[in-house]
Amino acid sequence: MAVMAAQSPVADVYARLAEAFPGLRVTVRGAHDPSPSGAGWVGADELALGGAALDAYLAWDHSQVMRDHGRQARPDVVAGFGLHRYAWPACLLVTVPWLLERRVPHLPADQVAFHRTAGRMSVRVAEFACLPGDPAAALPGARVVPDEDALRAEVRAAVAGHLTPVLEGFAPRMRRGRRALWGMVTDEIVESLWYVGQLLGEEARTRAELDLLLPGSTAPYTGGSGFRTLTGPAGEELPTRDRAGCCLFYTVRPQDTCTTCPRTCDADRVTRLTEPAAA
């Protein structure tokens, strides 16, 4: 469960996230509480520097590939895995409060720390955006925006503001251009919130919200939410999406692709999406 800092606009939401998804627990720090360090913690600002802290962080991904798959992955593939494993939960820090409470925390990289193996994040929220009429508008750091469209712009800006320096730290190791990197971020925003929306029993609403958040013309993001619907063998509707980029896992196991990977044909998607129901 998230630890609630006094008058935090997002601690209740993070507690609800932890209940739905125990794999991620978010602690909200007070204004004078230090960021955790040591013993598995890494700051997002440390990852952004691209030095020894990032080396140590990526060593875990290298070891994981060797342990689970018995082969080395290319250094750029390892870096992509490491970025995914940070960006996926980091996006939730912004998108879950927006989805559930219409509040958008702005989280500079130096205000977020991550403990990957424990599934923990620690944040300090000095500023957030909200809508008129939100009781939290009276809290310190609140910035009221006029409508839903403006709040969606705040979501896009908050994620970009947090991840831009992190991408700069990872980019030299990834052998991908700017468009491809922001395609990865687009996928992390969509797939992390889509997953949590399913856990919360709000999948349809989450997909609709993501369609509005990422309509396909919102730089620096690459493409839109990418959702579409397939038809199952019994005529059922099967939501899927097309990723903006590829995680390159096929370079480790060529026979495996993600269900939402552009390399996965619709027939295979239908099979994968209906196999759990058949079982």
Side-chain angles (χ1 to χ4, degrees), residues 198-219:
Q198 292 171 318
L199 296 179
L200 293 168
E202 298 194 42
E203 180 186 4
R205 183 172 82 85
T206 300
R207 284 190 280 115
E209 295 281 10
L210 285 165
D211 284 340
L212 293 171
L213 178 68
L214 294 168
S217 56
T218 50

Side-chain angles (χ1 to χ4, degrees), residues 66-79:
M66 289 293 296
R67 181 180 65 251
D68 292 353
H69 305 292
R71 59 179 298 180
Q72 287 190 346
R74 296 187 333 226
D76 62 305
V77 174
V78 169

Side-chain angles (χ1 to χ4, degrees), residues 3-266:
V3 177
M4 299 184 188
Q7 290 191 311
S8 168
V10 293
D12 287 344
V13 174
Y14 292 154
R16 186 174 171 188
L17 170 62
E19 290 173 0
F21 179 42
L24 179 61
R25 294 172 294 153
V26 183
T27 299
V28 181
R29 302 193 308 275
H32 304 294
D33 296 332
S35 179
S37 61
W41 286 99
V42 65
D45 55 340
E46 294 179 287
L47 297 177
L49 292 175
L54 183 56
D55 289 337
Y57 177 85
L58 293 176
W60 187 95
D61 298 277
H62 172 77
S63 297
Q64 179 268 323
V65 172
M66 289 293 296
R67 181 180 65 251
D68 292 353
H69 305 292
R71 59 179 298 180
Q72 287 190 346
R74 296 187 333 226
D76 62 305
V77 174
V78 169
F81 291 171
L83 176 61
H84 160 67
R85 287 161 174 160
Y86 177 77
W88 194 97
C91 289
L92 292 174
L93 297 175
V94 175
T95 59
V96 171
W98 164 69
L99 179 72
L100 297 182
E101 293 287 351
R102 288 305 193 249
R103 296 171 187 169
V104 180
H106 284 257
L107 297 164
D110 62 357
Q111 299 301 320
V112 178
F114 182 42
H115 195 301
R116 171 167 47 191
T117 56
R120 297 175 61 192
M121 302 190 88
S122 175
V123 306
R124 186 172 83 84
V125 180
E127 180 183 341
F128 68 99
C130 63
L131 293 171
D134 186 334
L139 294 178
R143 185 156 47 84
V144 179
V145 298
D147 53 32
E148 293 279 1
D149 190 54
L151 198 65
R152 285 189 285 269
E154 292 286 335
V155 175
R156 295 188 292 266
V159 173
H162 180 75
L163 286 180
T164 292
V166 176
L167 290 182
E168 290 173 356
F170 276 87
R173 303 165 187 256
M174 291 186 59
R175 296 169 52 189
R176 301 195 193 194
R178 182 177 184 275
R179 179 177 176 82
L181 290 172
W182 281 102
M184 289 186 67
V185 174
T186 304
D187 290 331
E188 306 299 358
I189 292 173
V190 177
E191 299 210 343
S192 61
L193 192 63
W194 184 21
Y195 178 75
V196 170
Q198 292 171 318
L199 296 179
L200 293 168
E202 298 194 42
E203 180 186 4
R205 183 172 82 85
T206 300
R207 284 190 280 115
E209 295 281 10
L210 285 165
D211 284 340
L212 293 171
L213 178 68
L214 294 168
S217 56
T218 50
Y221 303 102
T222 303
S225 61
F227 287 112
R228 57 193 179 91
T229 302
L230 301 175
T231 301
E236 68 271 39
E237 293 187 349
L238 302 172
T240 189
R241 69 176 296 265
D242 294 315
R243 292 177 58 89
C246 179
C247 68
L248 303 181
F249 183 70
Y250 75 91
T251 64
V252 177
R253 293 188 61 179
Q255 71 275 24
D256 286 345
T257 58
C258 303
T259 302
T260 55
C261 179
R263 294 169 173 267
T264 306
C265 70
D266 283 356

